[in-house]
Amino acid sequence: IPWKGPTQTLILASDRDNQKKENFAIALDPTTGKILWRKQVPYLIDYGFPLLVGDTLIGYSLKMEKIKPGENDGIAILNAFKVSEKGLDPFWETKPLGPIVDTVAMTISG
């Protein structure tokens, strides 16, 4: 996802440490491909990268509670971060929302 900052444009992407089961957001320099920063994030990256609106990156994670096998995979939580040229800063997080089966479809308008 391209993000335009005050002095440079970054390409936001995702990364995963499979051994530790940790997800990361990374920023790449679009002219060199060099990773400029890497920040651990709680949101899922398996099915799609989060959405970007302005300087806000929004993804969803699953809280493993009230799981009913065959009915849901957990309770959804939306996670938002402010993007900057130096990294990500937590912005907000919702309270647990409804149960999720499979993936969450998100859109941003306006």
Side-chain angles (χ1 to χ4, degrees):
I1 300 173
W3 174 82
K4 187 165 177 63
T7 63
Q8 67 185 112
T9 297
L10 305 177
I11 302 299
L12 302 180
S14 59
D15 190 16
R16 179 166 173 84
D17 182 325
N18 286 320
Q19 290 182 347
K20 294 182 181 179
K21 298 186 182 195
E22 295 173 341
N23 295 331
F24 298 87
I26 62 173
L28 304 167
D29 180 325
T31 61
T32 66
K34 179 182 174 186
I35 295 175
L36 302 174
W37 53 256
R38 184 177 189 248
K39 170 82 173 179
Q40 187 175 355
V41 292
Y43 56 71
L44 301 173
I45 64 169
D46 302 47
Y47 305 107
F49 198 68
L51 301 175
L52 179 67
V53 60
D55 295 335
T56 305
L57 189 66
I58 302 170
Y60 80 94
S61 58
L62 289 176
K63 185 171 185 179
M64 300 307 200
E65 69 175 31
K66 300 180 185 174
I67 296 175
K68 296 178 184 173
E71 290 185 30
N72 70 60
D73 299 324
I75 306 297
I77 296 173
L78 296 180
N79 311 99
F81 294 85
K82 281 295 183 188
V83 180
S84 74
E85 293 175 353
K86 296 183 180 182
L88 293 178
D89 290 311
F91 186 38
W92 54 257
E93 180 178 287
T94 64
K95 64 181 175 100
L97 304 171
I100 298 301
V101 177
D102 263 346
T103 62
V104 171
M106 296 190 306
T107 62
I108 294 179
S109 176

